[in-house]
Amino acid sequence: MSSTVPISQGTNNLTAPTPQNTPLQHAPISSGLSRPTVPDIAEEGKDDEESAANEGEMTSDALQNAMAGLVQGRLAGLVGKSSGYIESLPTEVKFSVEALKGIQVKHTQLQNQYKRECLELEKKYLQLQQPLFERRKALISGSEKPTEDEIVAGEAQSAKDDEDYTSLPKESNYAATAAAIPEFWLTALRNSIGLSDLITDRDAEALKHLTNITLEYLTENKDSDKDTEGKPGFKLLFEFSENDFFTNKVLSKTYVYQEEVGYSGDFVYDRAIGTKIDWKEDKDLTKEYEVKKQRNKTTNRTRFVKKAHPTESFFNFFDPPQLPSDDVIENGEIDPEELEEIEEKLEMDYQIGEDLKEKIIPRAIDYFTGKALEYELMEDGEDLDDLDDDDEDDFDDDDDEDDSDDEDNDLPATRRRGGKRGGAGQNVNPEECKQQ
């Protein structure tokens, strides 16, 4: 085989550019070779025209954005400023305006009193519900067996919700032995639209040990916890059995309200307080661990270093974000985008707390069976039946999509198409205490 390498350069120093020993400089074999670089004049002119057009579009868009920002800024500056109408009123009319403000103060005081009494009413009925929640815990854990009356009432409700419901065999003599319900709370949480996206596969292994979720209202006396300062609010308690992840038996999350109701007449969240989780070694689900190899430049000895990085996890719920102080915000010591991100996280955190308090804890069985999912979709203006119709319209003979459909068919019937409309199931969300 002939070679294009000049003989005068010799062959002793030639090195083939293999992956194992690629030289810093190209070997003579490829030296001086390159692709033709003759420019195409027509294409070059076309590129110039397209570039000029794009610059014109960018200039126009930038101008429009600048004008929109200017107008929006000026309009925002007018918010809260007087038009001069109130100031132009006669003095005797201004007295009436101030009197109306005084009446509004009294109305706000009554609204505060009303909300406080509603809160006391919630506390009263929570105490009345405690025996039912204790009974539920016993059935879930399998420490007690269901009674005949409980089973009959449950089957009657199932038949009311689903006309295709098949009754359980009566020869079993209504559950002669107690039987625990595996992964009850994990399933219930995963069937909640707001929580399902937060639970990772790693979290699920720990949440299999979740045995109960309960609700407590904060006491508002002077001897209450210093963290809550006697303010209204509630606490969520997550009870766990022995597990490989942490030593805590109970993880809690506290939500504190402001003492005065907001402008809309509802309680306003003041802050959330989490729990320090005592993770077992290398079991922190809120972190991912990376092992890196390091070499000492002096001794040339190597060592392995483990570094932890924050990661998405349901258990971040117990370490809520904290809003900066008013002074930090007013002094501009925090970036506006960072502040907005914190506020969004807090808003989502408060919503999760409300969902647990108002929906999941009172109706845990509906979330376990998937029945509550239908009503959550109805709140959002969707319907499970409509979703199924859309799926059928998009049906394709592709094997991969067939496999996906088969997986959907494995879901409980109530999650795929929902039960019969109406019945007690309509009251998924406890009706708020409303002023008559």
Side-chain angles (χ1 to χ4, degrees):
M1 179 181 294
S2 62
S3 173
T4 59
V5 180
I7 297 176
S8 60
Q9 292 183 1
T11 59
N12 294 334
N13 296 327
L14 289 180
T15 306
T18 62
Q20 288 76 16
N21 53 7
T22 303
L24 294 177
Q25 301 294 333
H26 289 297
I29 295 175
S30 60
S31 178
L33 299 180
S34 63
R35 290 181 175 272
T37 57
V38 179
D40 188 319
I41 299 176
E43 291 181 357
E44 191 176 47
K46 183 179 180 181
D47 291 341
D48 291 342
E49 292 176 1
E50 292 180 353
S51 177
N54 291 335
E55 288 180 1
E57 291 179 1
M58 292 177 62
T59 303
S60 177
D61 292 341
L63 182 60
Q64 290 180 2
N65 292 335
M67 290 295 294
L70 180 61
V71 172
Q72 185 175 4
R74 290 190 175 182
L75 290 176
L78 296 176
V79 175
K81 290 187 176 181
S82 174
S83 64
Y85 169 71
I86 301 297
E87 290 79 3
S88 67
L89 294 173
T91 302
E92 57 271 18
V93 176
K94 290 181 180 179
F95 281 127
S96 297
V97 171
E98 295 304 319
L100 290 177
K101 293 180 182 179
I103 293 175
Q104 185 61 47
V105 170
K106 293 182 179 180
H107 177 274
T108 302
Q109 292 172 349
L110 287 175
Q111 188 71 13
N112 274 323
Q113 181 181 347
Y114 161 68
K115 279 297 180 180
R116 291 278 185 171
E117 291 182 6
C118 278
L119 185 60
E120 293 303 317
L121 198 60
E122 289 182 12
K123 293 179 181 179
K124 172 186 175 181
Y125 277 89
L126 179 62
Q127 291 300 318
L128 295 176
Q129 295 164 0
Q130 286 304 322
L132 301 178
F133 292 150
E134 289 296 327
R135 177 62 177 161
R136 179 176 71 184
K137 179 181 178 181
L139 292 177
I140 293 172
S141 65
S143 60
E144 298 178 10
K145 64 180 182 179
T147 65
E148 180 176 344
D149 289 343
E150 291 170 340
I151 296 174
V152 170
E155 287 203 295
Q157 184 62 52
S158 295
K160 189 176 182 180
D161 292 338
D162 186 359
E163 57 187 11
D164 298 327
Y165 173 75
T166 302
S167 299
L168 297 174
K170 298 299 183 290
E171 59 269 15
S172 60
N173 195 23
Y174 290 106
T177 59
I181 304 176
E183 302 178 13
F184 177 89
W185 286 103
L186 169 60
T187 305
L189 294 177
R190 276 186 156 173
N191 281 343
S192 168
I193 294 177
L195 286 167
S196 59
D197 291 340
L198 303 180
I199 301 174
T200 67
D201 291 339
R202 297 169 66 213
D203 295 333
E205 293 302 314
L207 290 173
K208 289 178 181 179
H209 299 275
L210 179 59
T211 59
N212 200 18
I213 306 177
T214 59
L215 167 69
E216 291 181 0
Y217 283 99
L218 302 181
T219 57
E220 300 176 43
N221 54 49
K222 295 181 180 179
D223 298 329
S224 61
D225 192 322
K226 63 179 182 179
D227 290 333
T228 60
E229 301 173 355
K231 293 182 178 180
F234 62 92
K235 179 184 291 187
L236 303 171
L237 298 103
F238 296 71
E239 302 174 14
F240 287 86
S241 60
E242 187 70 27
N243 60 80
D244 297 332
F245 298 91
F246 45 82
T247 59
N248 309 66
K249 298 298 182 184
V250 178
L251 299 178
S252 66
K253 181 70 172 288
T254 303
Y255 290 93
V256 183
Y257 295 138
Q258 295 181 10
E259 295 186 14
E260 300 292 329
V261 298
Y263 189 81
S264 62
D266 296 317
F267 279 116
V268 178
Y269 280 106
D270 182 60
R271 66 186 184 280
I273 305 171
T275 301
K276 181 181 181 300
I277 303 178
D278 298 322
W279 297 102
K280 295 182 179 180
E281 186 176 2
D282 297 338
K283 293 294 184 178
D284 190 343
L285 297 173
T286 65
K287 292 182 174 62
E288 286 184 342
Y289 295 93
E290 179 183 7
V291 178
K292 288 189 175 183
K293 184 178 180 181
Q294 292 183 345
R295 184 182 299 276
N296 189 299
K297 295 181 180 179
T298 305
T299 63
N300 205 31
R301 300 177 66 178
T302 60
R303 65 173 182 174
F304 292 94
V305 179
K306 182 183 293 185
K307 292 187 177 181
H309 303 282
T311 187
E312 297 294 330
S313 171
F314 168 80
F315 290 93
N316 287 322
F317 174 71
F318 298 99
D319 185 20
Q322 300 298 321
L323 195 65
S325 65
D326 293 339
D327 292 338
V328 171
I329 297 175
E330 291 174 0
N331 296 334
E333 298 177 19
I334 183 171
D335 184 74
E337 292 184 359
E338 182 181 353
L339 179 61
E340 183 178 357
E341 183 179 351
I342 294 175
E343 290 176 342
E344 289 177 354
K345 289 181 178 179
L346 282 172
E347 184 178 352
M348 184 177 72
D349 182 81
Y350 294 151
Q351 185 60 56
I352 292 173
E354 279 293 318
D355 287 347
L356 286 163
K357 171 179 174 284
E358 299 291 342
K359 298 179 180 180
I360 298 175
I361 292 177
R363 289 190 171 271
I365 182 59
D366 290 340
Y367 281 90
F368 174 77
T369 61
K371 172 184 173 181
L373 182 62
E374 174 184 356
Y375 297 96
E376 285 199 6
L377 292 174
M378 289 173 63
E379 286 180 356
D380 295 335
E382 300 182 33
D383 194 316
L384 287 181
D385 294 329
D386 294 339
L387 293 178
D388 286 341
D389 292 341
D390 293 339
D391 292 341
E392 291 177 2
D393 293 339
D394 296 336
F395 182 78
D396 197 347
D397 291 335
D398 186 77
D399 292 337
D400 293 337
E401 292 189 11
D402 287 342
D403 294 339
S404 177
D405 291 341
D406 291 339
E407 292 176 3
D408 290 341
N409 290 334
D410 293 335
L411 296 174
T414 50
R415 292 188 63 185
R416 284 187 281 110
R417 56 181 176 81
K420 183 179 178 181
R421 296 282 191 273
Q426 288 179 330
N427 299 323
V428 171
N429 295 325
E431 186 175 355
E432 295 182 357
C433 182
K434 297 181 179 179
Q435 190 171 9
Q436 301 296 326

